Amino acid sequence: MIQFQNVSKHYENHTALRSLSFLIDKGEMVFVTGPSGSGKTTMLKLIYLAERQDEGNVTVAGHETAKLKESSIPMLRRNIGFVFQDFRLLHNRDVFENVAIALRIRGTHEKDIKARVFDSLKLVTLRHKSDSYPDALSGGEQQRVAIARAVVTEPTVILADEPTGNIDPDLSAGIIRIFKDINAKGTTILIATHNRDLFRDSGKRVLRLDSGNLVSDEVQ
Amino acid sequence: MLTPFAFRLAAQSLLHEKWINLLSVLTIAVCFLVMAMTAFAVYNIDLATKKLPEKFSMMVYLKDNLSHEDLKNVVEALRKENVVENVKFIPKDDSIKELRSFLKNTSFVLEGLEENPLPDSVEIKLSKESIALDSVKKIAEKFKGIKGVDEVEYGEQFLTSLNSVKIGIKTLGTAFIIIMFGGILFVCYSTVKILFYRKNREMETFKLLGATKGFIRAPFLIEGATIGFFGGLLSLAGVLIFYYSIILRLSLTIPLFKSIAFPANAVLLLPVLGFVLGITGALIAIGRIRY
């Protein structure tokens, strides 16, 4: 589903990724960990094409990203669900609209939108908050809205960048449980985090990065 | 691209940022109004200058001592020209009579003349289409070449001045209209640019969720078009009020105003122009979308 082959990414002052190679199969749930500046976010950016690698090949859902034209990027991103540390919710729209926007972008018919949004909100147990605005929700609830938005389009891959970074530690386990439920339905999930508690004894694969190098790839 | 959702987003934004949008609509309306007034003035001045040459005539002076046959031939040759509308032969005796009546009390200057110094002449009225500085010059040259013609006189100075006035007014008017166009474009551009900046984060989220460039652009284009259209519509109302409540009323009391023409069909284009400029300004404001 996601393959890196000798991928390197250089910035002006430093190298973010050095000859990175790994393969994530369809339906896997994988954690990427490492200290700040180790290259976790850069790795995710290469997957969703916010950045392009300088060397090597990245393949996502069968697409070799280096060969993709700019006009094809939206189509690639429609295969991916995003969950960010800062949630990236639209604060002038209610929870329903925040989730529905992902479907509207894809041109989903209005009558399907309602059912699918409520299904997603049920998954993250926020069905009752559909009329609330993000500012009226707790950090954990906002992150669950972001997850609902990521899954509502039934993507093949979900990328999560520090999904528990802005929420209380005791809520983190709940977020990971939701990801596991989604993964159980066959969605590939890649979570970048520096919080070891999230993957400790999870039985999931963990890629460890340090200064842009892949230093370990093992099941915890 | 122009989905119902794009219209909904645009409508929400228009209402949410109502004061910025209202200010832009008013600014565009004022610019259009000034532009329309300028075009209206230029149009009427142009019409008036077109009417002036109706009084224009060319004098062809003939050589002395031409036989009756020769005179007839010259007049016939002049009459045959396509550009000539009317030919009037003026014998030199009539000319001196006219001069005497013109001089009235000072006609003593002609005393002592043993013979009539004036030549026979032909007054020619040219067709309206041919009265332009260049073509009249050519016609005069051609007439000079006719056997028996001594000299050709036409209001060169008058035509040159008229030409300069026409060119000057048209150039100034066009320049002013272009500046106003630029102004309207800039208002549309800056309004959409402000809205685009304000929604920058939202647009970034849309991009991550797989929004196409068309999906991102559409609400802004609709907004720009709406602002431009309503600016044009408001100015149309202003122009109609100006014409029907001022010019038309004045024409009832001041005859000069009766000759003012109102290009009614052209002013209906104002909202369309606003629409087009609004979309263009919005397109420039959004610029290239990068992922």
Side-chain angles (χ1 to χ4, degrees):
Chain A
M1 183 55 63
I2 300 171
Q3 187 172 23
F4 274 50
Q5 290 172 299
N6 300 314
V7 174
S8 297
K9 176 70 187 171
H10 312 286
Y11 291 106
E12 251 177 54
N13 305 328
H14 72 290
T15 298
L17 296 174
R18 292 169 208 271
S19 201
L20 205 64
S21 294
F22 63 84
L23 172 70
I24 297 173
D25 278 327
K26 189 171 184 289
E28 263 195 288
M29 180 167 169
V30 177
F31 289 90
V32 184
T33 191
S36 295
S38 59
K40 303 187 293 289
T41 301
T42 305
M43 195 183 104
L44 294 186
K45 282 182 175 175
L46 293 183
I47 295 171
Y48 65 82
L49 274 163
E51 302 267 4
R52 300 250 188 186
Q53 69 272 22
D54 296 311
E55 291 151 38
N57 287 321
V58 177
T59 309
V60 181
H63 301 283
E64 228 178 281
T65 60
K67 289 180 183 168
L68 276 181
K69 287 183 191 163
E70 204 190 19
S71 56
S72 304
I73 293 175
M75 299 309 138
L76 175 88
R77 287 184 182 171
R78 288 180 187 191
N79 289 307
I80 303 171
F82 297 93
V83 179
F84 292 96
Q85 183 176 0
D86 59 355
F87 320 131
R88 292 205 183 216
L89 297 178
L90 311 173
H91 292 267
N92 55 350
R93 288 169 211 283
D94 61 21
V95 166
F96 181 93
E97 278 305 317
N98 263 284
V99 179
I101 190 72
L103 294 171
R104 295 195 200 284
I105 283 171
R106 285 157 175 79
T108 307
H109 205 278
E110 203 62 33
K111 67 178 179 191
D112 294 334
I113 289 176
K114 203 172 177 184
R116 287 175 68 175
V117 170
F118 283 136
D119 282 349
S120 291
L121 287 174
K122 216 183 281 175
L123 182 76
V124 295
T125 60
L126 280 177
R127 169 74 177 79
H128 60 294
K129 299 262 183 170
S130 64
D131 294 333
S132 303
Y133 280 80
D135 291 343
L137 303 177
S138 68
E141 285 171 329
Q142 287 189 47
Q143 194 58 296
R144 276 148 61 200
V145 175
I147 294 170
R149 186 181 63 189
V151 298
V152 74
T153 58
E154 295 169 0
T156 47
V157 180
I158 288 182
L159 302 178
D161 192 4
E162 302 286 2
T164 58
N166 271 346
I167 56 177
D168 293 339
D170 47 332
L171 293 172
S172 302
I175 297 291
I176 292 302
R177 204 175 308 121
I178 293 169
F179 278 125
K180 281 183 177 170
D181 289 345
I182 297 163
N183 175 240
K185 290 174 184 167
T187 309
T188 309
I189 298 180
L190 183 59
I191 301 172
T193 180
H194 63 266
N195 184 356
R196 291 175 186 198
D197 293 337
L198 296 188
F199 52 81
R200 187 173 291 142
D201 302 326
S202 64
K204 301 292 180 189
R205 193 173 150 204
V206 178
L207 305 175
R208 203 177 300 276
L209 295 178
D210 193 6
S211 305
N213 296 301
L214 181 63
V215 292
S216 73
D217 179 353
E218 56 195 13
V219 175
Q220 285 281 315
Chain B
M1 188 172 118
L2 293 176
T3 57
F5 185 63
F7 282 98
R8 208 168 92 190
L9 280 183
Q12 282 170 351
S13 177
L14 282 164
L15 290 174
H16 190 254
E17 307 285 355
K18 54 185 172 291
W19 297 115
I20 294 179
N21 291 322
L22 191 65
L23 194 67
S24 302
V25 168
L26 289 174
T27 315
I28 291 166
V30 170
C31 287
F32 264 132
L33 200 60
V34 175
M35 196 187 86
M37 296 295 183
T38 311
F40 182 63
V42 171
Y43 175 71
N44 274 285
I45 290 169
D46 196 46
L47 272 187
T49 53
K50 269 182 189 158
K51 280 178 188 164
L52 285 177
E54 283 172 11
K55 289 166 186 155
F56 179 84
S57 64
M58 185 181 263
M59 292 303 295
V60 176
Y61 297 105
L62 307 178
K63 285 182 179 160
D64 271 345
N65 306 320
L66 288 180
S67 66
H68 184 70
E69 195 63 28
D70 287 342
L71 276 176
K72 210 177 154 187
N73 288 342
V74 173
V75 172
E76 273 311 303
L78 291 169
R79 191 168 279 153
K80 270 183 194 166
E81 292 293 333
N82 286 335
V83 291
V84 172
E85 209 169 69
N86 192 23
V87 171
K88 185 185 170 193
F89 175 70
I90 305 167
K92 59 181 179 180
D93 294 340
D94 288 1
S95 301
I96 196 82
K97 268 185 215 164
E98 201 178 317
L99 183 61
R100 276 186 210 284
S101 70
F102 178 74
L103 292 172
K104 283 181 189 167
N105 300 336
T106 53
S107 62
F108 59 85
V109 295
L110 299 174
E111 283 170 16
L113 291 173
E114 287 176 6
E115 58 181 67
N116 184 354
L118 300 177
D120 287 327
S121 58
V122 181
E123 187 183 354
I124 292 171
K125 289 262 180 206
L126 297 173
S127 62
K128 271 187 215 167
E129 305 81 55
S130 61
I131 302 173
L133 186 59
D134 291 344
S135 55
V136 169
K137 255 185 191 172
K138 277 182 197 162
I139 294 163
E141 286 301 319
K142 197 175 175 189
F143 287 176
K144 266 186 195 171
I146 295 173
K147 195 186 161 195
V149 172
D150 188 27
E151 212 178 312
V152 179
E153 245 181 36
Y154 59 94
E156 190 174 4
Q157 194 69 37
F158 166 73
L159 274 184
T160 312
S161 312
L162 189 66
N163 211 33
S164 308
V165 168
K166 261 169 109 170
I167 291 173
I169 288 172
K170 269 191 182 172
T171 311
L172 276 177
T174 311
F176 191 71
I177 288 169
I178 290 171
I179 291 169
M180 283 293 135
F181 255 76
I184 294 165
L185 200 62
F186 182 74
V187 172
C188 295
Y189 160 85
S190 48
T191 309
V192 175
K193 194 82 180 168
I194 291 169
L195 300 174
F196 195 66
Y197 271 133
R198 284 196 180 180
K199 292 180 183 169
N200 196 27
R201 199 170 158 75
E202 197 171 317
M203 293 307 116
E204 287 305 316
T205 305
F206 282 7
K207 283 185 209 170
L208 287 173
L209 294 174
T212 57
K213 291 178 184 182
F215 183 92
I216 293 167
R217 281 197 182 110
F220 294 102
L221 294 183
I222 295 168
E223 237 175 302
T226 309
I227 292 167
F229 177 79
F230 280 104
L233 202 64
L234 209 60
S235 69
L236 173 64
V239 171
L240 293 176
I241 289 169
F242 167 77
Y243 181 71
Y244 288 106
S245 68
I246 301 176
I247 302 285
L248 218 56
R249 272 191 195 178
L250 281 176
S251 68
L252 296 175
T253 48
I254 307 168
L256 177 71
F257 283 88
K258 273 186 185 158
S259 59
I260 289 179
F262 182 67
N265 288 340
V267 293
L268 290 176
L269 282 176
L270 286 172
V272 181
L273 267 178
F275 181 86
V276 173
L277 288 176
I279 288 185
T280 314
L283 268 177
I284 301 169
I286 301 163
R288 201 178 155 212
I289 291 172
R290 289 170 192 278
Y291 286 99

